């Protein structure tokens, strides 16, 4: 049985497409994780700043 050459091209295209989909998905997940970590750092810094401001306000009100 002889398989036409276009079938090989189609199968190769499917394999390449699947590989690229997996690769892109992995890169997107990594990028999203980095963004989440960055946002978390910003949030923690904001909390620390507010905590320091509250301390200063309490000490200023006592004096």
């Amino acid at each position: 049985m002889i398989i036409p050459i276009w079938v090989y091209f189609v199968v190769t295209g499917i394999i390449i497409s699947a590989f690229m989909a997996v690769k892109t998905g992995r890169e997107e997940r990594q990028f999203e994780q980095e963004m989440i970590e960055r946002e978390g750092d910003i949030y923690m810094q904001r909390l620390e700043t507010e905590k320091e401001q509250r301390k200063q306000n309490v000490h200023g009100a006592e004096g």
Side-chain angles (χ1 to χ4, degrees):
M1 182 168 134
I2 299 175
I3 299 174
I5 192 144
W6 64 267
V7 173
Y8 291 114
F9 288 125
V10 170
V11 170
T12 303
I14 291 170
I15 291 171
I16 291 172
S17 178
F19 173 75
M20 294 302 290
V22 170
K23 180 182 173 189
T24 303
R26 187 175 297 145
E27 289 172 354
E28 285 180 1
R29 270 186 260 119
Q30 182 179 5
F31 177 75
E32 288 176 359
Q33 186 63 33
E34 290 173 2
M35 288 295 296
I36 290 169
E37 289 176 6
R38 215 173 300 144
E39 289 175 2
D41 290 340
I42 292 170
Y43 181 72
M44 294 305 290
Q45 289 174 354
R46 187 182 310 144
L47 287 178
E48 189 65 32
T49 303
E50 290 176 4
K51 184 178 177 181
E52 290 175 11
Q53 287 176 353
R54 272 189 253 124
K55 281 184 181 179
Q56 290 174 358
N57 289 342
V58 169
H59 291 294
E62 290 177 359

